[in-house]
Amino acid sequence: MAEVKRVGMLTGGGDAPGLNGVIRAVTMRCISEYGYEVVGLRRGWKALTAPEEDTLMPLGVEDVRYILQEGGTVLGSSRTNPYKNEGDAEKVVEQLREFGIDALVAIGGDDTLGVARRLHDDFGVQVIGCPKTIDNDLSATDTTFGYDTAVAIATDAIDRLRTTAKSHERILVVEIMGRHAGWITYGAGLASSANVTLIPEVEPDLDEVTAIFKKRAENGERWGLVAVSEGVTFSEDFVTQTAEKDEFGHVRLGGVAEGLAAELKERTGIDTRHVVLGHLQRGGTPTANDRILSTRYGYRAAEAVANGEWGKMVALRGDEIVTVSLAEATDETKTVPKETYEMLRSFFG
Amino acid sequence: MAEVKRVGMLTGGGDAPGLNGVIRAVTMRCISEYGYEVVGLRRGWKALTAPEEDTLMPLGVEDVRYILQEGGTVLGSSRTNPYKNEGDAEKVVEQLREFGIDALVAIGGDDTLGVARRLHDDFGVQVIGCPKTIDNDLSATDTTFGYDTAVAIATDAIDRLRTTAKSHERILVVEIMGRHAGWITYGAGLASSANVTLIPEVEPDLDEVTAIFKKRAENGERWGLVAVSEGVTFSEDFVTQTAEKDEFGHVRLGGVAEGLAAELKERTGIDTRHVVLGHLQRGGTPTANDRILSTRYGYRAAEAVANGEWGKMVALRGDEIVTVSLAEATDETKTVPKETYEMLRSFFG
Amino acid sequence: MAEVKRVGMLTGGGDAPGLNGVIRAVTMRCISEYGYEVVGLRRGWKALTAPEEDTLMPLGVEDVRYILQEGGTVLGSSRTNPYKNEGDAEKVVEQLREFGIDALVAIGGDDTLGVARRLHDDFGVQVIGCPKTIDNDLSATDTTFGYDTAVAIATDAIDRLRTTAKSHERILVVEIMGRHAGWITYGAGLASSANVTLIPEVEPDLDEVTAIFKKRAENGERWGLVAVSEGVTFSEDFVTQTAEKDEFGHVRLGGVAEGLAAELKERTGIDTRHVVLGHLQRGGTPTANDRILSTRYGYRAAEAVANGEWGKMVALRGDEIVTVSLAEATDETKTVPKETYEMLRSFFG
Amino acid sequence: MAEVKRVGMLTGGGDAPGLNGVIRAVTMRCISEYGYEVVGLRRGWKALTAPEEDTLMPLGVEDVRYILQEGGTVLGSSRTNPYKNEGDAEKVVEQLREFGIDALVAIGGDDTLGVARRLHDDFGVQVIGCPKTIDNDLSATDTTFGYDTAVAIATDAIDRLRTTAKSHERILVVEIMGRHAGWITYGAGLASSANVTLIPEVEPDLDEVTAIFKKRAENGERWGLVAVSEGVTFSEDFVTQTAEKDEFGHVRLGGVAEGLAAELKERTGIDTRHVVLGHLQRGGTPTANDRILSTRYGYRAAEAVANGEWGKMVALRGDEIVTVSLAEATDETKTVPKETYEMLRSFFG
């Protein structure tokens, strides 16, 4: 193991509230405790495959002290994957050498960590990973930072929509992030007391959903809220039925919430509307919870650098931050278990 | 003037944060100060053209004491307009008599207040109006409640999106309410330091917008935020160019933000995304400001009932709540003046 | 084991955000899944030692559907402890019989759960406990609901104070709940990037604190934030030195924050102020996180009733809700471990 | 009038959310529209009586673009008054000359603007004022920025305390800023539906307050919220009665809320607690409303510089920003009118 003097750090993939918490903790610890120099590498792996003038971002303790409160990542991000372009992996290794970077902290999701693993395995790059996904779908760690914030934002949105749904006697369908894993929708649907929550893991039973809203209407509640993951799929039939032209003659379709709203209107006779939260879910200041978690991740990642635990990533297990092999990180997607959804389902109505 | 014993109250049109503040103040004052009985009429004018079992909602002081904090309207709403259906106006008058309602407080926008005026003029209905529009576009009053809350919500959303726009080096286009008047967009664009704000009153100059983002990129800021009213229109050409099919082969078009995002990507070469705030803008608890304004409106409306100022509506003029004729209410739309927009425009960049 | 028909439920001790989440889940599950009747018992054990007219609160599914969002407890609370008054425990048992309550869900802290345990042990009362403490200091469960909300509120307060501290070049000392355990202060101090955080578990080293702020001042930052638990203690000497009279001649002393602020002013020469968050920390809507946790607790508590797991309480262990004996519940206080504080301490400055 | 090349700007007195909005607008306009150079002067008048190394803060457009969202003032502040120290006024004039500052924008309250006026009158300093007070008590302007934010924060706090007051059946007394004018308390008391609101302008009638809470208790509501300005005064007798020693033997007294809480407990027999909001009221991000208002102030102040309207200050009159003489600014305190308070009082209960 080569002695560490200069630690590089990068963030890859979609941003998540808490990234700056990791960056801050890694920086402060590496400098104050271990005496390393720390440099940020802007725009993920692109920093190393196609460096620009502003790629290197020297990081000092006072540069990062108050970034814990900020959403996004001060290092910027990209979806560049050096293993998708012949020769780029070698470029990365060469560029690291040129930058004089002895150790690399790579913060990102499946894709970013997969690259980190291969760089370690193929070239012996001294890398430590830190998992990041707002979707909370990594099996290697109990929870990921950003998830709590995303749930909080979506919960707040649904809470906010309740009074307008009720005043207008409408069903409001709210589309929430999650292509393959329904964790955010599950969390927000539960926390906001949505009347129905649909996730990609469980095929929606539209007859059941219709029955719920019809029963509510019989009890004088001709309104409701549906939380639905963007990744929920319906039969081809259903989608065809709801294709329609808007007042400008444009075909308006495609979104899950939009289609579902049209379908529920048809089935229940109750007026419906839809809202797509989109990018709102990853913006803004992290919750206190995510700030704490990301700080603990970063703290442990710095320690992993000092220990030379190359090829590992930090992970939350129970109440402890441990390190696990990067191979584990990308093992399998953690989806919402059937019994967890059943629990939530028991509150529908 | 017939003596008043029983005051009816209804809310019509889209809901606005603050409606419950008016309902609360009217109820508390009518009962405590003037000794009237107060009944809510559910679902706007529909309560009188097509009453249902739950139409009448007796209102007591303790029923309303803590509704000031709630968004929406406890009376429900509808878009029913008795003057759009032959014979319905007469039904309204007859139904009011049947319900024993001597005086009516009608809270709503152009449409609701127009009906109120005609009922007063045509049948001598003892009615007091209270203006409501989240859009702030009534010339008869300086400000309307709900506006401040809508601006606050949209501002918060744009603020929240800044970090993600920056981290990913994207332009985020945020679509905000306002078909004909750009007040909410103006307010939120200004308060959130959006880089560009576009409103329906002023035809957008896309060359100027493009230049702004190109200049920003030259200074190393390859990202930005655009606040755009849903009612902003572009040339046919522009729209055609951006029509495109998504990954499912569906045509995705129509929304202003979506079209503008596609166009800006084309023109600037910077990645873009869009967000439609939609119903989020009218939900949730009113700001303190809107609570105060709506309470003052309701307080004065109750006094107007006691004074027998029939055919009038309450309005904010300077720092005072006055009454003006309902005719004035629907006079003309108050749009954003050119110089106000010029002021905002001077902060673009 | 007697068959269960009617489940009673009470909340005791200080309120915590999330109590209504437990009440809601227990009620919904007991009724929908198990077919029990559910009655709330107002004001903790007082409901059974000194019942009033409004003591019984019948709970139906629709009564509780939307209370998840509300802080406090719809059942009210008290600090009544039947074991502190001769003969009251017998009264409780008799009163439960009179109310026809077969099973009791007791939600509360050490004190409430201690009573529950003794009622079970001494009289065979069929009781299930649910732990509640905003302080997060129960060793029997990983986390308690209300804690996340308290940390979020305190974090938000410190964040908010930063700009004013900086503008006026002052040290602001913020007093946070926690007499014996510093968990909330630890969480909020970490999440808000407070410059120094002091907890009851570790005797404060005022020389170190002084040195931190002097060093900051040397670097041009003549301001800062200190998070301090109400339970932190200093030497007698220190307290005496800072006793002083205010402009009205009143002796102003006693609070930890106030005393510490005075002391730090003396030692650093920097202007100081203090803020006591007090009851703000337990009010308001629970975070999404606390809503989820409390729902899971309540869901499992209802199951425990159905299973007849008398004398047990629900607890979070890892990612699962389990049941443990009530004896464990009151075993020992879980305080902030030294290494956890050391981690936080490494970010001071 | 000397030609303007270099504009200086300072902020004096207590900070108020919105200060950075003024600084931003003045800077952006002075540079972009008028071509001036802009320099910030740190720490109010102290910048000119006792300049330090970091006193001058050159301000460019990009330095200030995103400070609108930040509370406090990037220029820092102080309570230095050059007219309170023989010879300091002359120093100020000399220092301005040394710094090459041709025009000065002074943002502050009575004190700061009073100095500005005298510098203009005595020495012909080319100064423009901008009023700042969170208390909203300047008669020369309809509203001041920071006020809306302070009301919003205090309203939120009282809202938050409601559930805990109710759960524990307590009266919570909340102390709010305002020594001589009760505007913030009035606004927050109204917006939060506090059961009683007390302001310095109207001597409190404790018998009436007591009667309100006794009546509430008779109706089963043994709890409540009182909003009270820090400047409310009671008779000597009252204060003496409530002096008491706490568990540590310290005399705990002095605060209005604390004293009132003790008194109300005595009078009503209901348990009471108190909370002092203190510095929380001036911290954190400004409301959208305050951001808009402060931007408009700054925009107009820059114009006033260009127009050479020396000795004037900007003010809001109706919906317009105008300039008025600095003499007017400090004329008289605007307190809450009796009829405004009577309106609020009609909602007590």
Side-chain angles (χ1 to χ4, degrees), chain A residues 66 69 159 191 195 289 291, chain C residues 66 69 159 191 195 289 291:
Chain A
Y66 298 113
Q69 278 73 358
D159 276 351
N195 304 96
N289 201 337
R291 297 186 197 175
Chain C
Y66 297 113
Q69 276 73 359
D159 276 350
N195 305 96
N289 200 337
R291 296 185 197 177

Side-chain angles (χ1 to χ4, degrees), chain D residues 103-331:
Chain D
L104 183 67
V105 177
I107 314 164
D110 268 22
D111 209 53
T112 304
L113 299 180
V115 171
R117 179 165 66 94
R118 293 186 62 179
L119 289 173
H120 174 260
D121 293 354
D122 298 351
F123 303 95
V125 172
Q126 302 195 139
V127 67
I128 300 293
C130 176
K132 175 236 48 145
T133 160
I134 214 164
D135 292 327
N136 202 35
D137 61 351
L138 281 183
S139 58
T141 185
D142 285 3
T143 321
T144 47
F145 59 84
Y147 172 65
D148 190 60
T149 304
V151 170
I153 293 171
T155 298
D156 183 61
I158 302 178
D159 277 350
R160 190 186 289 280
L161 292 167
R162 184 164 294 109
T163 54
T164 192
K166 205 167 171 175
S167 299
H168 288 285
E169 300 193 310
R170 287 172 180 158
I171 298 170
L172 280 173
V173 181
V174 186
E175 186 170 316
I176 295 172
M177 284 194 311
R179 291 194 178 278
H180 306 294
W183 285 109
I184 302 177
T185 311
Y186 155 78
L190 196 165
S192 67
S193 311
N195 304 97
V196 168
T197 300
L198 304 176
I199 60 175
E201 289 89 338
V202 181
E203 181 163 1
D205 178 345
L206 284 178
D207 291 337
E208 186 202 352
V209 176
T210 304
I212 286 171
F213 286 109
K214 283 196 168 162
K215 192 177 157 212
R216 284 179 57 80
E218 278 163 26
N219 296 329
E221 307 286 339
R222 279 179 272 182
W223 63 277
L225 286 155
V226 178
V228 59
S229 298
E230 59 183 329
V232 167
T233 49
F234 301 93
S235 68
E236 188 65 26
D237 272 6
F238 159 76
V239 169
T240 313
Q241 283 161 27
T242 61
E244 59 178 31
K245 296 194 175 183
D246 67 15
E247 51 184 314
F248 305 105
H250 303 139
V251 177
R252 302 275 294 160
L253 199 141
V256 163
E258 190 171 2
L260 181 56
E263 184 79 5
L264 286 180
K265 184 175 179 178
E266 195 69 30
R267 285 168 173 255
T268 63
I270 301 170
D271 198 18
T272 63
R273 290 289 187 282
H274 76 281
V275 174
V276 180
L277 297 185
H279 295 272
L280 291 173
Q281 293 161 94
R282 42 170 88 251
T285 189
T287 59
N289 200 337
D290 273 338
R291 297 186 198 175
I292 295 170
L293 181 58
S294 58
T295 298
R296 294 177 65 200
Y297 272 1
Y299 182 87
R300 185 66 185 80
E303 192 178 286
V305 170
N307 292 346
E309 305 178 55
W310 314 125
K312 302 251 181 178
M313 75 163 201
V314 295
L316 177 71
R317 294 281 168 90
D319 201 40
E320 277 182 80
I321 308 289
V322 300
T323 51
V324 301
S325 85
L326 273 167
E328 276 186 64
T330 51
D331 243 19

Side-chain angles (χ1 to χ4, degrees), chain A residues 29 65-66 68-69 148 155 159 162 190-193 195 216 223 289 291 296 343 346-347 349, chain C residues 29 65-66 68-69 148 155 159 162 190-193 195 216 223 289 291 296 299 343 346-347 349:
Chain A
R29 288 298 289 171
R65 186 176 294 283
Y66 298 113
L68 182 57
Q69 278 73 358
D148 189 61
T155 298
D159 276 351
R162 184 163 293 112
L190 196 164
S192 68
S193 311
N195 304 96
R216 284 179 56 81
W223 63 275
N289 201 337
R291 297 186 197 175
R296 293 179 64 200
M343 187 267 274
S346 76
F347 296 104
Chain C
R29 289 296 291 172
R65 188 176 292 283
Y66 297 113
L68 183 56
Q69 276 73 359
D148 189 61
T155 298
D159 276 350
R162 184 164 294 110
L190 195 165
S192 68
S193 312
N195 305 96
R216 285 179 56 80
W223 63 275
N289 200 337
R291 296 185 197 177
R296 292 178 66 199
Y299 183 88
M343 188 267 276
S346 75
F347 296 104

Side-chain angles (χ1 to χ4, degrees), chain B residues 29 65-66 68-69 148 155 159 162 190-193 195 216 223 289 291 296 299 343 346-347 349, chain D residues 29 65-66 68-69 148 155 159 162 190-193 195 216 223 289 291 299 343 346-347 349:
Chain B
R29 289 297 289 171
R65 186 174 296 282
Y66 298 113
L68 182 58
Q69 277 75 357
D148 189 61
T155 298
D159 276 351
R162 183 163 295 111
L190 196 163
S192 68
S193 312
N195 305 95
R216 284 179 56 81
W223 64 276
N289 200 337
R291 296 185 197 176
R296 293 178 64 199
Y299 183 88
M343 186 267 275
S346 75
F347 295 105
Chain D
R29 290 296 291 170
R65 187 176 293 284
Y66 298 113
L68 182 56
Q69 276 74 358
D148 190 60
T155 298
D159 277 350
R162 184 164 294 109
L190 196 165
S192 67
S193 311
N195 304 97
R216 284 179 57 80
W223 63 277
N289 200 337
R291 297 186 198 175
Y299 182 87
M343 187 267 275
S346 75
F347 296 104

Side-chain angles (χ1 to χ4, degrees), chain A residues 248-326:
Chain A
F248 306 104
H250 301 139
V251 175
R252 301 275 295 163
L253 200 140
V256 163
E258 189 170 3
L260 181 57
E263 185 79 5
L264 286 180
K265 183 176 182 178
E266 196 67 29
R267 285 167 173 256
T268 62
I270 301 170
D271 198 19
T272 63
R273 291 289 189 282
H274 75 281
V275 174
V276 180
L277 296 185
H279 296 271
L280 290 173
Q281 292 162 93
R282 40 171 89 252
T285 190
T287 58
N289 201 337
D290 274 338
R291 297 186 197 175
I292 294 169
L293 182 58
S294 57
T295 297
R296 293 179 64 200
Y297 271 0
Y299 182 87
R300 184 67 184 79
E303 191 177 285
V305 170
N307 292 345
E309 305 179 53
W310 314 124
K312 302 249 181 179
M313 74 164 203
V314 294
L316 178 71
R317 294 278 168 92
D319 201 41
E320 276 183 78
I321 307 288
V322 300
T323 51
V324 301
S325 86
L326 274 167

Side-chain angles (χ1 to χ4, degrees), chain B residues 251-318:
Chain B
V251 176
R252 301 275 297 162
L253 199 141
V256 163
E258 189 171 3
L260 181 57
E263 186 78 6
L264 286 180
K265 184 177 180 177
E266 195 66 32
R267 285 167 172 256
T268 62
I270 300 170
D271 197 18
T272 64
R273 291 289 187 283
H274 75 281
V275 174
V276 180
L277 296 185
H279 296 271
L280 289 175
Q281 291 160 93
R282 40 171 89 251
T285 190
T287 58
N289 200 337
D290 273 339
R291 296 185 197 176
I292 295 169
L293 181 58
S294 58
T295 297
R296 293 178 64 199
Y297 271 2
Y299 183 88
R300 185 65 184 81
E303 191 178 285
V305 169
N307 292 346
E309 304 179 55
W310 315 123
K312 301 250 181 177
M313 75 163 201
V314 293
L316 178 71
R317 294 281 169 90

